Amino acid sequence: MTPDDMKRQSALKAIELVESGMRLGLGTGSTARHFVDLVGAKVKAGLDVICVPTSIATRIQAESLGIRLTTLDETPELDLTVDGADELDDHLQLIKGGGGALLREKIVAMASDRMVVIADLSKRVPRLGAFALPVEVVRFGWRSTEDWVHSCIEEAGCSGPVTLRSGPSGEPFITDNGNYILDCALGRIDDADMLHDLLKSVPGVVETGLFLGIADTAFVADENGVVTLSAPINAA
Ligand code: 5RP
């Protein structure tokens, strides 16, 4: 089974949660893409759902599949968001933002009664941090913000290079919200709450890719099937 087959298996598990009448958040990335395809197929077969995409890319995909879309301004509360992750640990703490959509992904997930993560086994880690933590920052004064990000990293007991994310032709990557992303290659994050809180106290930081206490369930696929992980009761 290829990693892509596993992504589809986890998406197939998540689609079982979807019922007519639901308001859904649609995640971003190659795993979420499978879920959106499955929603599209069900819509063609008569499923009645209304969805909020977490990125322009997902909006374009959903529109092409005939999925009825709304915004959080029109529909501020959602029933379920299904999204991928770059890393998840046993407590369902996540790193997200590899695709650059972390801000909208977090806003949409927080507007939802439930966030369910879909992933292949490669995303499951004993401790967060091997994947560089994306931090979305406003463009104005980003170099000063970067200095503050370094200070926060140190104060949280972490270390590692911070890099301005580049697009395909080497220019800075711009998020759907017009911001930059600083990728923080920390290796390990021992106190994710502390790091997140410190980073959020910096004025130029818009959001971090740490999703803490947000997801309640994860479907993680491997060669043998799909494992269901649940967040500790008081964490979600
Ligand atoms: C995008 C994300 C994605 O969910 C994350 O990068 C996982 O992507 P993929 O499913 O392609 O591995 O956070 O901002």
Side-chain angles (χ1 to χ4, degrees):
M1 202 186 285
T2 66
D4 200 54
D5 292 334
M6 292 183 213
K7 290 175 186 185
R8 187 166 174 84
Q9 289 306 310
S10 63
L12 280 164
K13 194 81 183 159
I15 198 75
E16 291 175 15
L17 300 174
V18 175
E19 294 169 8
S20 260
M22 276 188 161
R23 302 156 299 177
L24 299 177
L26 302 177
T28 295
S30 58
T31 316
R33 195 172 175 81
H34 284 294
F35 179 76
V36 177
D37 279 341
L38 292 168
V39 172
K42 284 212 149 203
V43 164
K44 280 201 178 63
L47 180 80
D48 177 24
V49 289
I50 190 155
C51 301
V52 175
T54 54
S55 63
I56 294 170
T58 298
R59 173 159 55 74
I60 291 168
Q61 183 196 1
E63 280 171 351
S64 77
L65 294 167
I67 296 172
R68 193 155 60 98
L69 297 179
T70 183
T71 62
L72 285 184
D73 299 339
E74 288 170 355
T75 312
E77 289 173 29
L78 305 177
D79 299 297
L80 169 68
T81 286
V82 176
D83 203 347
D86 298 299
E87 280 188 351
L88 66 140
D89 70 11
D90 288 348
H91 302 285
L92 294 199
Q93 303 192 111
L94 316 175
I95 287 182
K96 285 186 53 56
L102 63 127
L103 176 59
R104 294 191 189 189
E105 288 173 334
K106 197 178 279 191
I107 292 171
V108 170
M110 294 287 290
S112 306
D113 286 346
R114 296 186 66 184
M115 179 196 188
V116 171
V117 177
I118 50 176
D120 64 277
L121 187 66
S122 69
K123 307 295 182 61
R124 195 167 172 190
V125 295
R127 185 188 300 105
L128 298 180
F131 189 91
L133 174 67
V135 177
E136 184 158 346
V137 300
V138 293
R139 283 190 265 180
F140 179 84
W142 74 271
R143 283 189 188 276
S144 302
T145 302
E146 185 186 24
D147 288 344
W148 278 106
V149 166
H150 275 291
S151 305
C152 296
I153 286 171
E154 203 174 310
E155 198 174 334
C158 304
S159 63
V162 174
T163 314
L164 179 68
R165 188 178 296 183
S166 302
S169 14
E171 75 294 349
F173 174 87
I174 310 275
T175 70
D176 287 351
N177 320 294
N179 298 315
Y180 285 162
I181 290 198
L182 298 175
D183 287 307
C184 308
L186 306 177
R188 58 182 283 170
I189 300 171
D190 287 325
D191 191 337
D193 286 294
M194 183 188 199
L195 178 61
H196 173 77
D197 290 349
L198 285 165
L199 288 168
K200 286 285 284 186
S201 71
V202 178
V205 169
V206 180
E207 193 49 79
T208 86
L210 287 165
F211 282 50
L212 309 174
I214 298 177
D216 67 72
T217 303
F219 296 127
V220 181
D222 66 15
E223 299 282 350
N224 304 312
V226 180
V227 172
T228 303
L229 305 177
S230 299
I233 294 296
N234 59 358

